[in-house]
Amino acid sequence: MTEMTAVQPDATAPGAGPMVRAEQVHKSFGPLEVLKGIDLEVRTGEVCCLLGPSGSGKSTFLRCINHLEKINAGRIWVDGEPIGYRERGGKLHEMREKEVAAQRRSIGMVFQRFNLFPHKTVLDNVTEAPVLVRREKKAAARERAAQLLERVGLGDKLGAYPGQLSGGQQQRVAIARALAMQPKLMLFDEPTSALDPELVGEVLDVMKDLARDGMTMIVVTHEIGFAREVGDSLVFMDGGVVVESGNPREVIANPRHDRTKAFLAKVL
């Protein structure tokens, strides 16, 4: 099993610190170092937006948070719990996949692509994980799934199949599916990048609604307007490092770093 030197946290009990805390996170794919020591804290109820050019490490970092990618050094906590590793004898030892899967249940993730089951109805797509993973009773899971689909504006599509929906509708189903697991943290990896421009707004509206309800969210996005309006914090990444971070409105209006200025000049 993978073994790393342990980093001592300030607080290890769930709820004792920030919802997400990353310290000196490194990730390499062979000789390519993608993350070069990421430090980040996200408070409970905060919306953190990650901006940066393609290849800056944003999506890789997001996948490290729920251990879809294994880090090479550093440490990540979610709600005070170290993700993917446990400490023993001053070293971090990688958890078994079953244990990691249990941690992922409380971390919802929405990808660029919707990854819905094409042969299942919208309602069944949202019901599947709570029944199979959380062992919920099917009737209760279907009732909550219907409520979630109503919440994302798809209460009239319960019996439809993914192929009968627009891209924006499919992404809203994907959000409802993630919420069905009752996560304490939601990760969004460029959720609107695969959508036609006219469909982007309907997905962002659902995300804004989640933010108003206090959901902790980390969002990799190029939607500057969303970051400015909804974000509580903005982190600009480039070359595998955090270049600049702060209040979204302040960073967007008055970036301090030349690299941030150059990026924003191209996307605003």
Side-chain angles (χ1 to χ4, degrees):
M1 292 197 299
T2 302
E3 180 182 293
M4 299 188 300
T5 302
V7 178
Q8 294 299 322
D10 294 332
T12 56
M19 177 60 73
V20 178
R21 181 175 168 210
E23 284 190 359
Q24 284 300 295
V25 172
H26 290 255
K27 173 64 182 177
S28 297
F29 295 100
L32 178 63
E33 190 177 18
V34 177
L35 301 177
K36 304 175 182 178
I38 301 295
D39 294 312
L40 182 73
E41 285 194 0
V42 179
R43 302 183 308 274
T44 299
E46 179 178 338
V47 178
C48 174
C49 295
L50 303 184
L51 266 62
S54 297
S56 59
K58 309 181 303 298
S59 294
T60 297
F61 177 64
L62 208 67
R63 292 170 66 86
C64 288
I65 293 174
N66 63 2
H67 208 61
L68 286 175
E69 296 290 354
K70 301 174 183 179
I71 62 177
N72 299 112
R75 197 161 175 185
I76 298 173
W77 296 266
V78 173
D79 200 19
E81 183 179 7
I83 295 297
Y85 300 91
R86 66 163 46 88
E87 185 177 343
R88 190 167 62 246
K91 298 287 186 180
L92 293 180
H93 298 265
E94 190 174 350
M95 291 179 173
R96 297 183 181 89
E97 181 55 36
K98 185 177 181 180
E99 296 172 307
V100 175
Q103 290 186 320
R104 289 195 189 113
R105 293 175 193 171
S106 62
I107 305 173
M109 187 158 186
V110 178
F111 300 89
Q112 296 178 34
R113 297 292 174 179
F114 325 120
N115 300 323
L116 300 176
F117 296 115
H119 61 290
K120 292 182 179 291
T121 65
V122 165
L123 184 63
D124 287 339
N125 264 279
V126 179
T127 305
E128 180 99 348
V131 171
L132 293 181
V133 179
R134 296 179 64 97
R135 305 299 184 191
E136 294 183 15
K137 292 183 178 180
K138 191 170 184 178
R142 288 175 71 85
E143 181 179 355
R144 195 170 71 256
Q147 292 170 352
L148 288 169
L149 287 163
E150 182 70 37
R151 179 179 180 179
V152 300
L154 294 172
D156 60 339
K157 300 291 185 182
L158 305 188
Y161 289 87
Q164 299 172 310
L165 304 180
S166 69
Q169 289 172 326
Q170 290 186 60
Q171 191 63 295
R172 284 186 278 154
V173 174
I175 293 173
R177 179 181 59 184
L179 292 173
M181 292 294 285
Q182 303 179 63
K184 54 185 156 187
L185 169 67
M186 285 285 286
L187 308 176
F188 292 87
D189 187 7
E190 299 194 39
T192 61
S193 66
L195 301 179
D196 292 334
E198 64 268 23
L199 302 178
V200 168
E202 62 190 56
V203 174
L204 293 181
D205 284 344
V206 171
M207 295 169 64
K208 291 174 185 177
D209 183 56
L210 289 178
R212 282 191 291 268
D213 283 352
M215 174 63 73
T216 310
M217 300 160 58
I218 302 179
V219 185
V220 173
T221 183
H222 290 296
E223 299 292 338
I224 303 299
F226 175 86
R228 183 192 291 116
E229 178 184 349
V230 182
D232 297 298
S233 64
L234 184 150
V235 175
F236 176 71
M237 292 178 60
D238 189 30
V241 300
V242 173
V243 176
E244 186 168 346
S245 62
N247 179 283
R249 288 152 290 286
E250 293 176 4
V251 173
I252 292 169
N254 298 294
R256 300 185 305 273
H257 197 283
D258 287 343
R259 184 66 189 91
T260 316
K261 293 177 183 177
F263 175 80
L264 290 172
K266 292 179 180 179
V267 298
L268 287 175

